Amino acid sequence: GLVADAVLVTVPLGVLKAKTVKFAPPLPRWKRSAIERLGFGPIEKVILSFERSFWDEGADFFGCLPPAAETAAEAAKARGEFFMFWNLQRSHGTAALMCVSSGAFAEGTWRHLSYKRVVDSSLAVLGRTFGPQVRQLFRKSVVTDWGRNPFCRGSYSYVGVDASGAEYDELARPVGGRLFFAGEATNGQHPATATGAYLSGLREAQRIDQAGRRGFPPAEP
């Protein structure tokens, strides 16, 4: 195995929650509590590429109203289903949309759908608003699956029901002067963003450098 003065843990919060990474000795109670109280869930995306745009090219994003649900249970199950479309024509200069799903739909239904079913469902949502041209102009797609990825187990952190937001700082605190943590779930100012993850890496690089200059504490037997 590898021998090092310090370790920087950057795995997603979902992996820490699943306890697939073993720590010896175990993490202290305050660290485990922060991991448990912070929320973590999937936000899944579908990139849909078309021959040309058929939506308002000046809009940054738009949504499509869902059909009326017959029961409250159906409405709850579909919450977060393809609720937003980002206009990549405006940001990337290409006739494409990034469709976003979250909530109960991304957490539950998405995980049981095939790649083709996800794409077909997102096209159907667009079709309710823009008609048959959606499928006629469709070219190709890219689909994420962060929820089922064992190395992620979700996408972003959030303040859970039993949390206060202070858990972000607790998750960022080093353990024993040799075990450090980075990632979006350790940045309370910019959580759930790539920016937050990047800045946390800079923060911990500086912290490890300072600890090394001072001298790391003796390693536990």
Side-chain angles (χ1 to χ4, degrees), residues 31-103:
K31 179 69 77 173
R32 299 198 308 270
S33 180
I35 292 171
E36 292 170 1
R37 290 200 303 270
L38 271 180
F40 193 73
I43 294 182
E44 303 291 3
K45 300 172 183 177
V46 185
I47 307 297
L48 302 172
S49 176
F50 300 92
E51 291 182 18
R52 60 173 175 80
S53 58
F54 48 81
W55 55 90
D56 180 2
E57 294 185 5
D60 288 320
F61 58 88
F62 61 87
C64 297
L65 290 175
E70 295 184 2
T71 66
E74 289 181 352
K77 185 178 179 180
R79 185 174 182 179
E81 178 181 2
F82 306 118
F83 71 94
M84 183 184 296
F85 293 83
W86 285 92
N87 179 15
L88 301 186
Q89 179 75 59
R90 183 172 172 82
S91 60
H92 292 69
T94 183
L97 295 169
M98 182 173 70
C99 175
V100 183
S101 291
S102 64

Side-chain angles (χ1 to χ4, degrees), residues 10 21 48 79-80 82 122 132 150 178 199 213:
T10 61
V21 176
L48 302 172
R79 185 174 182 179
F82 306 118
S122 61
R178 287 177 175 268
L199 292 176
R213 292 174 186 273

Side-chain angles (χ1 to χ4, degrees), residues 130-142:
F130 296 101
Q133 63 179 330
V134 171
R135 292 188 183 274
Q136 294 167 0
L137 296 174
F138 173 66
R139 294 177 55 200
K140 55 186 177 180
S141 61
V142 177

Side-chain angles (χ1 to χ4, degrees), residues 2-221:
L2 297 176
V3 177
D5 291 322
V7 173
L8 176 59
V9 179
T10 61
V11 298
L13 177 58
V15 175
L16 293 176
K17 282 181 169 293
K19 300 178 181 178
T20 54
V21 176
K22 304 301 180 183
F23 294 90
L27 294 175
R29 180 180 296 276
W30 58 266
K31 179 69 77 173
R32 299 198 308 270
S33 180
I35 292 171
E36 292 170 1
R37 290 200 303 270
L38 271 180
F40 193 73
I43 294 182
E44 303 291 3
K45 300 172 183 177
V46 185
I47 307 297
L48 302 172
S49 176
F50 300 92
E51 291 182 18
R52 60 173 175 80
S53 58
F54 48 81
W55 55 90
D56 180 2
E57 294 185 5
D60 288 320
F61 58 88
F62 61 87
C64 297
L65 290 175
E70 295 184 2
T71 66
E74 289 181 352
K77 185 178 179 180
R79 185 174 182 179
E81 178 181 2
F82 306 118
F83 71 94
M84 183 184 296
F85 293 83
W86 285 92
N87 179 15
L88 301 186
Q89 179 75 59
R90 183 172 172 82
S91 60
H92 292 69
T94 183
L97 295 169
M98 182 173 70
C99 175
V100 183
S101 291
S102 64
F105 179 77
E107 182 67 36
T109 305
W110 185 288
R111 301 190 182 200
H112 303 289
L113 297 178
S114 65
Y115 185 111
K116 185 177 185 302
R117 282 287 302 280
V118 168
V119 174
D120 285 345
S121 297
S122 61
L123 291 174
V125 170
L126 277 174
R128 290 200 302 265
T129 298
F130 296 101
Q133 63 179 330
V134 171
R135 292 188 183 274
Q136 294 167 0
L137 296 174
F138 173 66
R139 294 177 55 200
K140 55 186 177 180
S141 61
V142 177
V143 177
T144 69
D145 199 3
W146 300 116
R148 284 188 290 198
N149 187 324
F151 301 109
C152 299
R153 298 177 182 267
S155 305
Y156 303 115
S157 63
Y158 60 90
V159 179
V161 174
D162 298 323
S164 66
E167 289 77 12
Y168 286 107
D169 294 332
E170 291 291 273
L171 200 56
R173 278 176 56 192
V175 174
R178 287 177 175 268
L179 184 60
F180 301 84
F181 292 80
E184 59 85 16
T186 71
N187 191 325
Q189 291 183 312
H190 304 283
T193 65
T195 299
Y198 172 74
L199 292 176
S200 76
L202 297 180
R203 179 197 68 214
E204 294 308 307
Q206 183 179 35
R207 181 139 52 188
I208 293 171
D209 177 66
Q210 292 174 346
R213 292 174 186 273
R214 291 193 304 266
F216 293 104
E220 295 186 20

